[in-house]
């Protein structure tokens, strides 16, 4: 399998819908997240809608005006929730879209991967990540994932598109019957660390992420970041493991925060402290003339104030969410570039120091 690498170790994954990046027009996307360090994370159901609208032969990137961006096809949308299988066959992907609920068979999923021009495609990702005894719900999800992977193999695979599959432990759990353990095909292109919690202890998710990044090494690893904390955890884990490949972090929280009128504020370069969230709906900001985040160099912070964005939110101006989303993406991009610099230096720092550098940069604490 030929693997295409992005030029940086950490790539920002931009969750998209059938119409492109939510809230942001293509010129803004290029300004805040250049294609050299970003990718479009496309849910399969949204990809199918885009293909129907654009017609056969038009890649998704070209359809939404972002042809230069690589596309990562995933079976679920982070905005909606976990994917689920159609109960009748246990071999179909059911998903929610803006046009309603749709179901994709394995051959349709393969067709979306090919027709959307995807650089890589993520398989079902409910593999068992735990060191603790698996729950019944987890075992059912794992069996569903294995069935889906086998159906994809039956259709002939993804035919030239790099596939990323979940990581299966080398041996079954002691409380798991080896005869009942699902069999996953091997993934030469990389792994996906997208498994969600099903009642396990929070520490199990971190163990699984570390295991996936360690397994990927010089290949590719795709993971979600549903919060600023999970983003930092992913970056620190990859840096501690010395990952030399490419980690694609699909960040959905900048959009979710922007929809709520929340802006990310990172400390000024070299200052002490950590990040915080600014609620731009707060009436106390009505006359505030400071930028969204002091020290930030993004376009919204250079041109607008907290009081102005607060007013836009109150009158339900459609550009308010766009400004906050662009600022939040700029803050995330800054953290990713700092992580890239640490990876290039091969710095050996403890987690506390890694977090300080990600949040505050290399400056001296004051």
């Amino acid at each position: 399998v030929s693997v295409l690498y992005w030029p940086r170790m950490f790539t920002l994954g931009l969750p998209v819908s059938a119409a492109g990046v939510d809230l942001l027009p293509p010129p803004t996307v290029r300004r805040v997240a250049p294609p050299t360090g970003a990718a479009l994370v496309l849910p399969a159901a949204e990809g199918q809608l885009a293909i129907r609208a654009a017609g056969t032969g038009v890649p998704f990137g070209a359809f939404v005006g972002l042809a230069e961006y690589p596309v990562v096809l995933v079976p679920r949308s982070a905005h909606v929730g976990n994917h689920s299988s159609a109960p009748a066959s246990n071999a179909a992907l059911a998903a929610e879209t803006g046009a309603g609920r749709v179901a994709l068979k394995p051959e349709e999923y393969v067709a979306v991967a090919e027709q959307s021009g995807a650089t890589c495609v993520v398989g079902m990702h409910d593999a068992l990540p735990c060191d603790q005894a698996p729950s019944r719900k987890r075992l059912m999800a794992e069996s569903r994932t294995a069935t889906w992977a086998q159906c994809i193999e039956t259709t002939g695979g993804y035919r030239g598109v790099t596939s990323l599959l979940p990581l299966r432990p080398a041996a079954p759990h002691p409380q798991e019957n080896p005869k009942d353990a699902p069999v996953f095909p091997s993934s030469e292109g990389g792994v996906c660390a997208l498994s969600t919690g099903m009642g396990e202890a929070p520490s199990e998710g971190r163990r699984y992420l570390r295991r996936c990044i360690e397994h990927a090494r010089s290949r590719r690893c795709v993971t979600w970041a549903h919060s600023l904390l999970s983003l930092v955890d992913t970056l620190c884990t990859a840096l501690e493991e010395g990952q030399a490949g490419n980690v694609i972090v699909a960040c959905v929280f900048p959009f979710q925060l922007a929809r709520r009128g929340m802006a990310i504020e990172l400390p000024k370069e070299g200052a002490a402290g950590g990040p915080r969230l600014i609620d731009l709906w707060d009436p106390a900001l009505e006359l505030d003339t400071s930028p969204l985040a002091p020290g930030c160099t993004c376009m919204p912070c250079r041109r607008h104030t907290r009081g102005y964005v607060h007013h836009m939110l109150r009158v339900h101006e459609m550009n308010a969410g766009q400004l906050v989303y662009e600022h939040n993406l700029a803050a995330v991009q800054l953290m990713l570039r700092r992580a890239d610099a640490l990876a290039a230096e091969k710095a050996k720092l403890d987690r506390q120091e890694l977090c300080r550098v990600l949040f505050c940069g290399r400056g001296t604490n004051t």
Side-chain angles (χ1 to χ4, degrees):
V1 179
S2 61
V3 181
L4 300 176
Y5 289 101
W6 279 269
R8 291 170 173 167
M9 175 174 168
F10 295 102
T11 298
L12 173 63
L14 296 170
V16 297
S17 64
V21 180
D22 293 322
L23 296 181
L24 300 182
T28 304
V29 175
R30 293 188 182 92
R31 179 175 67 246
V32 70
T36 54
L40 307 179
V41 180
L42 174 66
E46 298 288 346
Q48 188 181 62
L49 294 178
I51 291 171
R52 290 174 180 174
T56 305
V58 180
F60 174 76
F63 174 63
V64 298
L66 299 169
E68 64 273 32
Y69 283 77
V71 176
V72 180
L73 186 72
V74 295
R76 58 171 281 205
S77 169
H79 294 298
V80 177
N82 298 341
H83 67 263
S84 59
S85 295
S89 64
N90 201 36
L93 172 67
E96 298 287 347
T97 68
R101 189 173 179 85
V102 298
L104 285 80
K105 296 179 180 179
E107 56 269 22
E108 294 174 321
Y109 190 66
V110 172
V112 172
E114 296 175 347
Q115 296 177 27
S116 63
T119 304
C120 57
V121 56
V122 172
M124 281 279 200
H125 46 76
D126 271 328
L128 183 68
C130 310
D131 295 325
Q132 67 184 50
S135 64
R136 182 177 180 181
K137 185 177 181 181
R138 173 65 73 184
L139 288 175
M140 291 176 60
E142 183 189 32
S143 176
R144 178 179 60 196
T145 303
T147 302
W148 176 268
Q150 292 166 5
C151 290
I152 292 291
E153 291 295 311
T154 303
T155 64
Y158 295 107
R159 294 187 283 272
V161 182
T162 302
S163 62
L164 310 177
L165 300 178
L167 178 63
R168 182 72 170 92
H173 190 273
Q175 298 187 25
E176 182 181 4
N177 188 344
K179 295 181 180 179
D180 298 333
V183 178
F184 290 89
S186 61
S187 174
E188 300 179 11
V191 298
C192 56
L194 302 177
S195 189
T196 56
M198 293 186 178
E200 298 88 5
S203 58
E204 298 298 330
R206 179 175 292 182
R207 278 198 204 103
Y208 182 56
L209 174 62
R210 183 177 296 276
R211 186 183 296 163
C212 286
I213 291 177
E214 181 181 2
H215 180 79
R217 286 301 177 188
S218 60
R219 293 175 294 175
R220 186 175 297 148
C221 178
V222 179
T223 182
W224 291 114
H226 291 282
S227 65
L228 190 59
L229 179 61
S230 62
L231 171 63
V232 173
D233 195 36
T234 299
L235 299 180
C236 290
T237 300
L239 291 170
E240 290 169 349
E241 291 296 325
Q243 165 74 2
N246 180 250
V247 179
I248 305 171
V249 188
C251 294
V252 67
F253 69 90
F255 173 80
Q256 293 172 335
L257 290 175
R259 291 287 298 269
R260 294 159 47 197
M262 307 289 286
I264 301 172
E265 181 184 2
L266 297 179
K268 291 184 179 180
E269 185 79 20
R276 67 190 188 112
L277 298 178
I278 307 298
D279 184 3
L280 296 171
W281 282 96
D282 189 346
L285 302 180
E286 184 175 0
L287 301 178
D288 195 331
T289 58
S290 60
L292 301 184
C296 181
T297 59
C298 70
M299 188 277 290
C301 286
R302 293 197 311 267
R303 296 186 179 181
H304 307 296
T305 66
R306 293 179 180 178
Y308 175 72
V309 178
H310 168 78
H311 169 73
M312 294 180 71
L313 288 171
R314 289 194 61 184
V315 299
H316 303 286
E317 170 61 46
M318 62 182 299
N319 289 338
Q322 176 181 332
L323 293 175
V324 181
Y325 188 25
E326 181 178 350
H327 164 76
N328 288 345
L329 283 179
V332 171
Q333 278 283 63
L334 177 60
M335 294 178 61
L336 292 177
R337 300 294 73 84
R338 287 171 176 171
D340 275 327
L342 288 172
E345 297 171 6
K346 297 183 178 180
K348 300 296 182 181
L349 304 175
D350 58 30
R351 181 158 290 227
Q352 182 177 359
E353 184 64 16
L354 286 175
C355 291
R356 190 195 69 79
V357 175
L358 292 176
F359 292 145
C360 310
R362 283 293 198 178
T364 304
N365 284 344
T366 57

